[in-house]
Each structure stands twice: as C-alpha cells, then as structure tokens.
C-alpha cells in the first residue's frame, strides 16, 4: 500500500488528526520489545526512542530497511530512562516539493505513526534540555 490515491481525501490537517497514545509504563531496568506487523516491516520504517538522561532529553532515531527487522528491543536504564517510542511508517507521498522529488524541499508523509508512552510510574524528568538526535 503506497497511499498515492486516497479516496476520499481527508480534509483535516495533520495537526487536526486525533492522536491515540498508548501508555505502558516501562520500569527502569526492564527492556521493552516492540514488534511491528508485516504491513509495516514490508517497507522501510523508523523507530524513535526518547530518553531522559542527566544531560537532558535525547531522541534515538533508527532506520530499518524493508523486510529486515520486525522486533526491536529498547532498554530503560537509570542514566537513560525510556520515556516513549514512536514507530514511523512512510508512504510514497511526497508533499510540498514544487521542484519534484529530487529537490531538497518537501517531506515524505507518514502512512502511520504508532506512539507508546513508556514513562515509568512516578518518574519525573529532571533535566528537560533537548539534546540533538542520535541517528543509527
């Protein structure tokens, strides 16, 4: 499914779409395993994990090529507490690129974003400084 011919077209903007965030507390020291369905893993996908560290909040973005990985493990440790996980599944729709797909303008629309809030029960982030993303 590449989502190039959606009918009817949803008139809402991305900001107007409802969000459904699942909360599953991940105790510090326990791993969290996320398995994506074949419909996601058939194509490329990204995982974005957000951690509270002593230096601030850090996102770790990892790319998974098509048909290579269905399950990922995320660790929550005292110096890197897992706050949340997002799974991004891209479509083949490219928007806001007046010069075409070869231009540096535009962005790829996601056909789905799955969000899990993993903040441990009772945990508060001590340092909210946003750190640069780590890409793997």
């Amino acid at each position: 499914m590449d989502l190039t011919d959606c009918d009817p077209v949803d008139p809402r903007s991305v900001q107007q779409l409802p969000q459904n965030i699942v909360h599953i507390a991940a105790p510090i020291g326990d791993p969290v395993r996320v398995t994506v369905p074949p419909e996601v893993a058939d194509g490329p996908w990204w995982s974005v994990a957000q951690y509270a560290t002593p230096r601030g909040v850090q996102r770790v973005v990892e790319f998974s090529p098509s048909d290579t990985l269905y399950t990922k493990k995320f660790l929550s440790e005292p110096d890197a507490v897992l706050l949340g996980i997002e799974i991004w599944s891209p479509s083949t729709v490219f928007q806001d690129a007046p010069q075409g797909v070869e231009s540096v303008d535009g962005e790829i629309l996601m056909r789905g974003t799955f969000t899990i809030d993993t903040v441990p029960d009772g945990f508060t982030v001590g340092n909210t400084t946003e750190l640069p993303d780590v890409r793997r």
Side-chain angles (χ1 to χ4, degrees):
M1 173 184 345
D2 63 13
L3 298 182
T4 56
D5 188 24
C6 298
D7 190 27
V9 173
D10 192 330
R12 299 174 293 180
S13 69
V14 171
Q15 292 79 13
Q16 295 171 319
L17 295 174
Q19 295 182 357
N20 184 15
I21 300 172
V22 175
H23 177 72
I24 301 172
I28 297 170
D30 287 355
V32 174
R33 286 181 181 79
V34 175
T35 300
V36 300
E39 296 83 9
V40 172
D42 284 350
W45 58 283
W46 287 267
S47 64
V48 181
Q50 189 172 39
Y51 295 92
T53 74
R55 294 181 42 238
V57 177
Q58 178 103 64
R59 288 183 350 151
V60 177
V61 180
E62 190 169 350
F63 175 75
S64 295
S66 303
D67 294 320
T68 59
L69 189 64
Y70 290 84
T71 301
K72 285 193 178 189
K73 181 169 83 171
F74 302 88
L75 299 176
S76 186
E77 301 170 333
D79 62 340
V81 177
L82 184 62
L83 302 176
I85 302 165
E86 288 186 357
I87 303 298
W88 298 347
S89 178
S91 72
T92 58
V93 176
F94 198 66
Q95 75 172 6
D96 300 327
Q99 304 304 316
V101 296
E102 300 299 323
S103 73
V104 295
D105 298 327
E107 66 181 280
I108 297 171
L109 292 179
M110 293 299 138
R111 64 180 178 148
T113 300
F114 307 93
T115 305
I116 307 166
D117 171 1
T118 59
V119 175
D121 291 334
F123 180 80
T124 56
V125 177
N127 184 349
T128 59
T129 303
E130 291 185 27
L131 301 173
D133 289 353
V134 172
R135 298 193 184 272
R136 294 185 182 156

